[in-house]
Amino acid sequence: MLRILLCVFAVALAIRLIAPTVIDRQMNLVQPHEPYRVSAQARQLHQQLTITDWHADSLLWNRDFMRLQQAGHLDWPRA
C-alpha cells in the first residue's frame, strides 16, 4: 500500500512540475506584431486614467521575470 501511495505521490508531483510549463507554452504564445495605432482621443483618455492589471502569472511556473519570455503575458522588459 505504501508503494502505491509513493507512486501516486511521485506521479502527482511530476504532473505538478511539468504540466503547467507545457500548458503555459501552448496557450500563452507571444506573437510579434507592429505597434498598435493609438488615436489622439485614446491618448488623451489614457493620460487621465490609472491603468492597472491586477492579475499576472509572472512568477509562476519557473519563469525568469527579468528576461523577455517567449510565453506568458508579462515580463520586466515588456512591463
Side-chain angles (χ1 to χ4, degrees):
M1 183 64 164
L2 183 59
R3 279 189 203 173
I4 293 172
L5 287 175
L6 288 174
C7 287
V8 169
F9 178 76
V11 169
L13 182 61
I15 289 171
R16 172 65 180 101
L17 293 175
I18 296 169
T21 301
V22 171
I23 292 168
D24 183 51
R25 291 195 192 293
Q26 291 176 353
M27 298 184 75
N28 291 317
L29 300 176
V30 176
Q31 299 292 331
H33 60 82
E34 294 295 319
Y36 296 110
R37 287 191 221 167
V38 180
S39 68
Q41 182 181 12
R43 286 182 194 274
Q44 182 181 14
L45 176 62
H46 183 74
Q47 294 298 321
Q48 298 171 12
L49 300 175
T50 300
I51 308 295
T52 60
D53 179 355
W54 287 46
H55 175 260
D57 295 329
S58 309
L59 302 177
L60 290 179
W61 302 336
N62 199 25
R63 289 188 189 140
D64 183 355
F65 182 70
M66 300 308 289
R67 291 185 3 201
L68 183 64
Q69 300 293 308
Q70 295 303 311
H73 295 221
L74 183 63
D75 49 46
W76 185 250
R78 289 183 284 168

